[in-house]
Structure formats: structure tokens, C-alpha cells
Amino acid sequence: MTFYRVHLDRGRNAYWAMEEESEELYETAQVLLDPETGSFTDEVSEQLEYVGSALLVMNRVTLDPPWRGHGLAAVLACEVITRLMAGCRAVACSPGITDLSSHRLTARAEWDRVNAKIAQGWESLGFRPYRDNVYLLSPASQDLEEQRGALRRHLAELGGSWRAGAS
């Protein structure tokens, strides 16, 4: 997992700092931040409660192929976000496939199905589509906390079924 905490109040323009770091972060900055100020655009600010000034970007979540498809990414991401979001006004992500090392997703329909499943997983945590494949989660929302208990139970069930299968 790769997360970035972007400070919007530390004197450096966060928009341009994200542009310098990577293309993916720059794409997020273009949707959420004002290039002149480096702060959230007025439109984004209106949608978020003020609970901090930073932006947490979930940039990449990669599981080895045998672990995919079991809901582990959502469980793990929920725990990480919960630990890192203090002081953040928003958590952002752009759900989709970024690991192109697997050649099994050559058909467009399969590619779209997998991307939709990934987006559905992030929506289950409380992320909501904002614009241009950027999803937002407000740390003030109770969605993440409500899902955390269910995800922990799911992880325990997975562990039990894997242990039973290994016996």
C-alpha cells in the first residue's frame, strides 16, 4: 500500500508538489486542488466538513495474485486509513487497475468488470465518486467506522476458512 499525506497548510503549494511527485498524484490534484493556492477548490471545500487541513491519498493497493478477490484490500485499507486520517480533511483515491503485469485482463469487458469491482470495494468503505475517477471519503463520515467492524469479522471468517482448508 502506498499512501501520501499532502499538507495543504505548510507554505508550499500542494498542487505543484503533487505534480512533481507523480502523474497519479497530479491527476488527483487537478480534480481537488486550486493550482493558484494549493488548497481545496471551493467546490470540494463545500462538500467536506472541516476536521483537518491535510489530504490523504490512497495511491496504490497491490495484493499478490493468490490474495486477490477475497476482500482483503478493503479490510487492510480500512485499517490503514483509520490510522492515518487524523488531521485530514479528505481521503482520496482513484480506483482501478494499475498493475499491468498480468496479461489476463486483455478483454475490455473483463477489464471493466474488475475495475467496477475495485470501485465497489472502495465505495463500501465510504468513498464516493467525485469527478474524473477521483473518489472522496470524508473523515467526518461514519461510513468507515461502521464498515470497520464488519470488515474485521470478514477477516476473521477468512482466517477461519483458510485454517480449515489447510488442515
Side-chain angles (χ1 to χ4, degrees):
M1 292 185 174
T2 306
F3 284 81
Y4 290 91
R5 178 184 293 272
V6 182
H7 296 279
L8 307 181
D9 62 352
R10 298 268 171 102
R12 183 164 184 220
N13 185 311
Y15 181 96
W16 299 112
M18 290 172 73
E19 186 264 343
E20 289 175 17
E21 184 64 32
S22 75
E23 182 66 29
E24 291 97 356
L25 286 176
Y26 182 51
E27 290 170 2
T28 300
Q30 289 175 312
V31 173
L32 301 177
L33 304 181
D34 179 325
E36 295 296 319
T37 65
S39 297
F40 290 111
T41 65
D42 290 341
E43 183 181 323
V44 173
S45 287
E46 289 172 7
Q47 294 190 19
L48 300 169
E49 290 184 47
Y50 190 85
V51 292
S53 58
L55 167 64
L56 182 63
V57 179
M58 181 170 63
N59 191 60
R60 188 172 310 262
V61 177
T62 305
L63 294 173
D64 288 336
W67 298 101
R68 294 177 188 166
H70 302 287
L72 286 174
V75 172
L76 298 172
C78 181
E79 293 298 326
V80 172
I81 291 167
T82 300
R83 286 171 173 77
L84 296 178
M85 72 181 185
C88 291
R89 189 167 181 193
V91 184
C93 72
S94 295
I97 302 166
T98 57
D99 179 8
L100 302 177
S101 62
S102 171
H103 299 289
R104 71 178 185 85
L105 297 176
T106 55
R108 181 64 188 196
E110 180 64 4
W111 178 273
D112 290 342
R113 184 192 69 75
V114 172
N115 275 328
K117 187 172 180 180
I118 292 168
Q120 183 181 23
W122 297 146
E123 287 176 12
S124 75
L125 296 180
F127 282 96
R128 297 294 173 251
Y130 177 66
R131 189 178 341 128
D132 297 337
N133 199 44
V134 172
Y135 283 54
L136 283 176
L137 169 68
S138 170
S141 163
Q142 289 300 308
D143 292 339
L144 188 67
E145 193 56 39
E146 289 172 5
Q147 286 300 316
R148 195 172 183 199
L151 289 168
R152 285 181 167 181
R153 284 188 297 279
H154 176 67
L155 182 61
E157 291 167 4
L158 281 174
S161 67
W162 287 332
R163 276 191 299 277
S167 300

